Amino acid sequence: MKTARDILNEMKIDERPARNGVFMTTCPDCSHKRKKKRDRCLAVKIDSLGVRWFCHHCNDFKGGQYFDGAKDTRTDWRGGARKAAAQSGKRRPIGSLYR
């Protein structure tokens, strides 16, 4: 069984101190090619099942791994392969917010 540190080292992702297992860091795929090389564009989430990552700049470096070694197939960052909940139609007009 792998640990989060093992998975991050394998993918060459810099580990940073994180609150709630979510942090931003530099992308090992595109950050060295950019003008802003230190811009933190890679979002990493560590939860009870594994590690997931997504680069907001190149969009090519994304994926994840479970701690048991399987590939991560979840499509939703909230933890499950589900669609976003529909928003209710009970919204106030923007004018009522400024009274």
Side-chain angles (χ1 to χ4, degrees):
M1 179 172 263
K2 292 184 178 181
T3 64
R5 181 169 288 161
D6 295 336
I7 294 170
L8 294 174
N9 286 339
E10 180 181 316
M11 298 306 298
K12 297 183 176 112
I13 297 173
D14 293 332
E15 186 178 1
R16 301 183 61 84
R19 235 185 326 176
N20 299 328
V22 178
F23 62 93
M24 298 288 289
T25 188
T26 55
C27 176
D29 198 35
C30 72
S31 288
H32 66 282
K33 302 173 193 173
R34 299 179 62 190
K35 184 176 182 179
K36 299 179 181 179
K37 295 181 186 321
R38 294 184 182 178
D39 188 24
R40 297 178 186 157
C41 56
L42 184 72
V44 180
K45 181 175 184 181
I46 302 170
D47 60 13
S48 61
L49 298 175
V51 180
R52 290 178 278 178
W53 55 87
F54 179 81
C55 179
H56 291 279
H57 179 257
C58 67
N59 295 330
D60 290 333
F61 194 72
K62 58 186 171 186
Q65 288 185 10
Y66 292 110
F67 292 130
D68 64 2
K71 291 286 183 188
D72 190 354
T73 58
R74 295 174 284 184
T75 58
D76 189 7
W77 276 80
R78 289 181 296 249
R82 61 182 178 200
K83 292 183 180 177
Q87 296 179 354
S88 67
K90 298 179 182 179
R91 293 180 180 224
R92 298 187 311 187
I94 195 161
S96 68
L97 297 174
Y98 295 105
R99 290 187 194 173

